[in-house]
Each structure stands twice: as structure tokens, then as C-alpha cells.
């Protein structure tokens, strides 16, 4: 599990405030987002009409509906499924870093939507980046064995257990 970054969380809050044009109450990051209201307002600013009903009161289930509507809106907007957090990640504070990653993904994606002209966060997404190389530059690599050829002096990925495992909930 990735650790939390106060700087990233603050960056997200600043971005949300900039998009919404309002200051958010000074409460902890996860509490600010937990009822899904801020998230629904955010996606509606980015893609108007994404969430047509925001629950502003009611029990846990009502508020969790906000998070689920936000997640559905993210999918429609084009955020990759694997970058979208699970409801429990936020509502039960199980995986706040995943929520942060998801919001970065959303911000990044706004660059692919020319209709969105509001504030953005993080690095620009790569556009097509063509380079011209001379024959000499291209040939300079011929005698070189890259790591992709499998030559890495006995280093291995044994013990890296994070890849391919399911997320434990």
C-alpha cells in the first residue's frame, strides 16, 4: 500500500477549490471528500450534468450513493477503471492514497477534453513527440546490450510481490 502524501492531498484540495471556485471547510482531506458531495460537485463542474442527484443528507447508504455516482461519472468521462478507487477506500478510509491517485487521473484526463477550460493539476499528458535521429545516432546503439535483452547481472524481481496480486479488501 502506498503511503499518504500530505503535499499531494493539499494539491488536490487546492485544485478542487480552484475548480469549484469555493473554499472547502478546514477538515481533514478524507473527511472533506468522504460524503461524496464535493466529488459530485467537482465532476459536474468538469463535465456538467454528470451527476444529476447529489444526496446532501441521510445515512451512510445515501452518502455512499454520491461516491458511486461519482465513480460512474468518472468511467463515462474516460478515467481507466483501474485508477478509480473503491467506495470503501474512501468511505471507510481504507485506501486514501488510491483516492488521491484517482483524482490525479481525473485532472490529467481533463487535458483530453477541450471543452474543459478550468484549472488543471499535475503534468501535461504526452502529446505525439516525434524526434529526428541521424543514421549515426541510430547505429551508436548496435553494440549495446539493453536490460530488455535479459542481461542484468543476476538481479531479479523475486520478492516484489506487488504485481498481479489481488487487492485485499
Amino acid at each position: 500500500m502506498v503511503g499518504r502524501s500530505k503535499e499531494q492531498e493539499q494539491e488536490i484540495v487546492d485544485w478542487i477549490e480552484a475548480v469549484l471556485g469555493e473554499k472547502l471547510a478546514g477538515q481533514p482531506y478524507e473527511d472533506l471528500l468522504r460524503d461524496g458531495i464535493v466529488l459530485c460537485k467537482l465532476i459536474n463542474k468538469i463535465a456538467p450534468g454528470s451527476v444529476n442527484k447529489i444526496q446532501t443528507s441521510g445515512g451512510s447508504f445515501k452518502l455512499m450513493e454520491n461516491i458511486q455516482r461519482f465513480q460512474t461519472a468518472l468511467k463515462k468521462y474516460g478515467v481507466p477503471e483501474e485508477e478509480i478507487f473503491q467506495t470503501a477506500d474512501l468511505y471507510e478510509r481504507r485506501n486514501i492514497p488510491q483516492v488521491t491517485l484517482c483524482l490525479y487521473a481525473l485532472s490529467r484526463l481533463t487535458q483530453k477534453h477541450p471543452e474543459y477550460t478550468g484549472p488543471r493539476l499535475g503534468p501535461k499528458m504526452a502529446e505525439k513527440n516525434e524526434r529526428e535521429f541521424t543514421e549515426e545516432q541510430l547505429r551508436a546503439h548496435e553494440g549495446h546490450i539493453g536490460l530488455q535483452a535479459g542481461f542484468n547481472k543476476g538481479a531479479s524481481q523475486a520478492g516484489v510481490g506487488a504485481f498481479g496480486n489481488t487487492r485485499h479488501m
Side-chain angles (χ1 to χ4, degrees):
M1 180 135 120
V2 186
R4 290 178 63 174
S5 158
K6 286 284 169 232
E7 294 75 35
Q8 285 184 334
E9 290 176 7
Q10 189 53 55
E11 208 180 344
I12 295 276
V13 170
D14 293 344
W15 174 63
I16 293 173
E17 289 179 338
V19 173
L20 297 181
E22 61 181 80
K23 278 306 251 175
L24 299 170
Q27 48 184 337
Y29 176 73
E30 60 273 27
D31 296 343
L32 209 59
L33 304 176
R34 185 169 182 254
D35 61 13
I37 295 170
V38 168
L39 296 175
C40 289
K41 285 183 178 173
L42 175 68
I43 193 70
N44 278 344
K45 275 278 194 220
I46 292 172
S50 292
V51 177
N52 49 19
K53 184 168 192 238
I54 301 176
Q55 302 285 357
T56 50
S57 61
S60 323
F61 286 110
K62 288 277 179 228
L63 299 173
M64 281 170 154
E65 278 176 28
N66 289 337
I67 298 173
Q68 284 152 1
R69 289 182 178 127
F70 174 70
Q71 291 161 330
T72 303
L74 288 180
K75 283 179 203 138
K76 270 212 300 258
Y77 195 69
V79 175
E81 188 106 27
E82 62 274 10
E83 294 198 56
I84 298 175
F85 61 90
Q86 308 288 314
T87 305
D89 290 346
L90 174 57
Y91 202 77
E92 296 168 22
R93 301 180 182 83
R94 288 206 190 150
N95 190 351
I96 298 300
Q98 185 63 40
V99 176
T100 303
L101 284 174
C102 175
L103 290 167
Y104 270 107
L106 171 62
S107 174
R108 213 173 42 238
L109 205 67
T110 61
Q111 297 170 34
K112 296 275 189 212
H113 289 264
E115 73 282 0
Y116 175 75
T117 54
R120 295 203 164 94
L121 181 68
K124 274 185 73 60
M125 275 181 102
E127 295 291 315
K128 197 168 173 193
N129 187 355
E130 292 194 28
R131 294 183 169 91
E132 296 290 322
F133 290 106
T134 64
E135 273 300 308
E136 196 181 353
Q137 285 171 315
L138 292 170
R139 248 186 265 112
H141 280 288
E142 284 175 6
H144 179 77
I145 299 174
L147 283 180
Q148 286 189 322
F151 184 76
N152 59 2
K153 298 189 178 93
S156 82
Q157 286 192 317
V160 173
F163 293 102
N165 288 345
T166 55
R167 275 173 60 196
H168 301 289
M169 291 290 166

